[in-house]
Amino acid sequence: MAIRPKYKTRQRERLLEYFTSVPGRHITAGDVCEYLKEKGESIAQATVYRQLDSLVEEGILVKYNVEPGCPACYEYLGEEHPVNGETCFHCKCTKCGKLIHLHCEEVEELTEHLDQEHKFRLDPRRTVFYGVCEDCR
Amino acid sequence: MAIRPKYKTRQRERLLEYFTSVPGRHITAGDVCEYLKEKGESIAQATVYRQLDSLVEEGILVKYNVEPGCPACYEYLGEEHPVNGETCFHCKCTKCGKLIHLHCEEVEELTEHLDQEHKFRLDPRRTVFYGVCEDCR
DNA sequence: TTGCGTGCAAAGGTTTTGCATGGCA
DNA sequence: TGCCATGCAAAACCTTTGCACGCAA
């Protein structure tokens, strides 16, 4: 399940290029395929899914699911982001879809707590907090 | 889509009976079907889904959409105090897939904090903490 | 009697997987 | 050369839907 691409392939580069061109937008796997199809390019669906998974794992994309049962969305975060060491969590508004970057000490504490008390090592890159934002409530 | 059963049917009563017998546990639609099958009883899968939806709508069950693609979990809350449902958070191990129920004060505090300071109302039913569990690290 | 609930089977849509081939390092 | 990544198609998966029949009220 956990796939970590190390190779610089045409497909991977193309996906990255596309995602950097639509920062802040949420894109489904289907969107990607459709986009490529329109461009006359082609990447196998399975490859799209696999690369998307990898990019999420690397912290370059966030994956979230606003509506259960609906396709998952991906959003570009940036490639430098995760490298900086500074952890960043994300809040996703289930009403308007807004993605909020969270730099917060309390979350750090929780991370610490989960690690110490629950022996659970939280992964900020994979974890998305769902809820309702200020504007939507 | 929104179905509100008013009728006291055999199937509905049976499902309620089952859920009251496993309070605090997370049950998937599949679990229900399997359980019934073992008992030699039978309720159509579609009926299970429909009733589950209804019970959620009535506030008798909570539904956790832990992860799209993975089956939704249902938990009995009670028929008398549907409003006071005590919800819990979930930790999911990205290595082994284990799902851990988290009843934890620290998380409550974080919820509070996000609400107060960040104006973000966290939704426990949708939020999953991803990370690595004790056994996998 | 009325119309909601049920069962059955099939469809729906997203995501995953098996396997042979291709291509990066 | 050694693996990882890709492509293709099929499978897997959970969930929903259509339709005719059954049954609660």
Side-chain angles (χ1 to χ4, degrees):
Chain A
M1 180 158 224
I3 303 160
R4 296 179 168 279
K6 298 160 186 171
Y7 293 178
K8 213 172 229 184
T9 63
R10 186 200 106 234
Q11 293 82 348
R12 179 184 164 90
E13 294 302 298
R14 187 64 188 92
L15 289 180
L16 270 174
E17 183 190 326
Y18 171 55
F19 269 94
T20 50
S21 76
V22 287
R25 282 185 47 201
H26 33 288
I27 312 290
T28 67
D31 291 338
V32 175
C33 292
E34 200 178 325
Y35 169 81
L36 291 170
K37 200 175 176 184
E38 280 177 9
K39 286 278 185 175
E41 306 174 47
S42 168
I43 299 177
Q45 205 183 34
T47 300
V48 170
Y49 277 102
R50 288 191 270 232
Q51 280 293 348
L52 256 36
D53 273 355
S54 300
L55 292 171
V56 167
E57 208 166 78
E58 293 169 65
I60 295 170
L61 303 180
V62 237
K63 178 182 184 178
Y64 47 74
N65 308 88
V66 175
E67 291 285 339
C70 291
C73 293
Y74 299 85
E75 183 177 337
Y76 183 72
L77 286 182
E79 294 179 72
E80 294 138 41
H81 223 75
V83 186
N84 294 348
E86 191 174 322
T87 51
C88 174
F89 284 87
H90 296 94
C91 297
K92 184 77 188 173
C93 178
T94 55
K95 296 265 193 233
C96 69
K98 196 191 306 174
L99 189 68
I100 302 160
H101 299 234
L102 191 67
H103 292 280
C104 169
E105 201 170 298
E106 314 282 325
V107 187
E108 303 293 337
E109 281 170 23
L110 179 70
T111 304
E112 193 79 4
H113 172 77
L114 288 177
D115 189 27
Q116 302 282 310
E117 301 302 322
H118 299 267
K119 306 297 176 198
F120 188 81
R121 198 164 292 162
L122 194 56
D123 183 355
R125 295 176 302 185
R126 300 284 304 269
T127 302
V128 178
F129 297 99
Y130 292 94
V132 182
C133 76
E134 186 166 13
D135 299 335
C136 290
R137 60 198 208 178
Chain B
M1 174 162 271
I3 302 161
R4 296 176 167 281
K6 300 159 185 171
Y7 292 0
K8 213 172 227 184
T9 63
R10 185 199 107 233
Q11 293 82 348
R12 179 184 164 89
E13 294 302 297
R14 187 63 187 93
L15 289 181
L16 271 174
E17 184 191 325
Y18 172 54
F19 269 95
T20 51
S21 75
V22 287
R25 280 186 50 200
H26 291 57
I27 312 290
T28 67
D31 292 336
V32 175
C33 293
E34 200 178 327
Y35 169 80
L36 291 170
K37 201 174 174 185
E38 281 178 10
K39 286 277 183 177
E41 307 174 47
S42 169
I43 298 178
Q45 202 184 35
T47 299
V48 170
Y49 277 102
R50 288 191 272 233
Q51 280 293 350
L52 256 35
D53 274 355
S54 300
L55 293 171
V56 168
E57 208 166 79
E58 293 168 64
I60 295 171
L61 302 181
V62 232
K63 179 180 185 179
Y64 292 98
N65 283 103
V66 169
E67 221 180 353
C70 293
C73 292
Y74 299 84
E75 181 180 341
Y76 181 72
L77 285 183
E79 295 179 71
E80 291 157 35
H81 305 289
V83 185
N84 302 340
E86 188 178 318
T87 50
C88 76
F89 284 86
H90 297 93
C91 296
K92 173 116 179 174
C93 178
T94 54
K95 297 265 192 231
C96 68
K98 196 191 308 173
L99 191 66
I100 303 157
H101 305 191
L102 193 65
H103 288 281
C104 169
E105 201 170 297
E106 315 281 325
V107 185
E108 303 294 337
E109 281 171 21
L110 178 70
T111 304
E112 193 80 6
H113 172 77
L114 287 177
D115 190 27
Q116 302 283 308
E117 301 302 320
H118 299 268
K119 307 297 177 198
F120 188 81
R121 198 164 292 160
L122 198 55
D123 181 0
R125 298 188 204 180
R126 295 289 314 282
T127 301
V128 180
F129 298 102
Y130 287 97
V132 182
C133 77
E134 186 167 12
D135 297 335
C136 291
R137 62 199 211 177

